[in-house]
Amino acid sequence: EVEMTQSPAILSVSPGERATLSCRASQSVSSKLAWYQQKPGQSPRLLIYDASTRATYIPAKFSGSGAGTEFTLTISSLQSEDFAIYYCQQYNNWPRTFGQGTKVEVK
Amino acid sequence: EVQVVDSGGGLVQPGGSLRLSCAASGFTFSDFWMSWVRQAPGKGPEWVANIKPDGSEKFYVDSVKGRFTISRDNAKNSLYLQMNSLRAEDTAVYYCVRGGMRFDPWGQGTLVIVSS
């Protein structure tokens, strides 16, 4: 099983600043990586797939990069609606596995 | 609008059974892999099972193999998860999701509580 490790667990950011989230896979997952956003009381929402492709209707402020075992999600100019938990997920191997999440909170 | 709506959760005793359902709309259901993903309280999501578009192949996470069965009815645009021999550690919100690799969209979730 591919273990996905996200860091940091909590990221404190001021509104208007940029957030950089990391995700590491225990073995190469090529570019088969997705990022999701989950707000309190809501279902996760797909943001990024194939490591760097934005999903439908996702604004350009969200960008993904990386390949192999190291991945990054960058959120530029954080607004109130962006404070949430973000998860990475690999789909190169079975079983599909998720990270434990990074909570982006207001500084 | 592409949408999946899951239902069927509830409180069940350890060792009991429950059947979850998912109604899909807004897309050609029979063209897509479908999955169930669960999320225990305060935890990250965990993929549980998925099924090929024609239902011919199914995959499960090890912890549910032999206890859970995923199925689909393409004529009814519906996905199911039969859960038997439920354990306390199966307690979670269960989501129906479109896809077998990346998951989009997610249902609103249905809560399963396994407790005596």
Side-chain angles (χ1 to χ4, degrees), chain B residues 49-110:
Chain B
N50 60 18
I51 185 169
K52 205 173 178 179
D54 64 0
S56 62
E57 291 187 61
K58 306 172 184 181
F59 298 88
Y60 301 91
V61 69
D62 283 351
S63 59
V64 308
K65 283 180 182 176
R67 300 189 299 123
F68 290 11
T69 301
I70 189 171
S71 62
R72 65 193 295 161
D73 184 336
N74 286 345
K76 295 182 178 179
N77 291 340
S78 293
L79 178 73
Y80 307 99
L81 186 68
Q82 177 67 43
M83 304 186 295
N84 299 330
S85 302
L86 282 160
R87 306 167 180 168
E89 54 265 34
D90 296 319
T91 293
V93 175
Y94 285 72
Y95 296 98
C96 168
V97 296
R98 186 181 68 169
M101 294 194 293
R102 62 185 186 265
F103 303 128
D104 178 47
W106 297 53
Q108 82 284 5
T110 186

Side-chain angles (χ1 to χ4, degrees), chain B residues 9-13 18 111-116:
Chain B
L11 174 63
V12 61
Q13 292 188 340
L18 213 53
L111 177 61
V112 173
I113 299 174
V114 184
S115 175
S116 54

Side-chain angles (χ1 to χ4, degrees), chain A residues 80-96:
Chain A
S80 58
E81 62 269 22
D82 302 324
F83 292 96
I85 300 175
Y86 293 83
Y87 296 99
C88 62
Q89 175 240 330
Q90 67 80 22
Y91 47 93
N92 190 63
N93 299 80
W94 297 95
R96 312 313 192 195

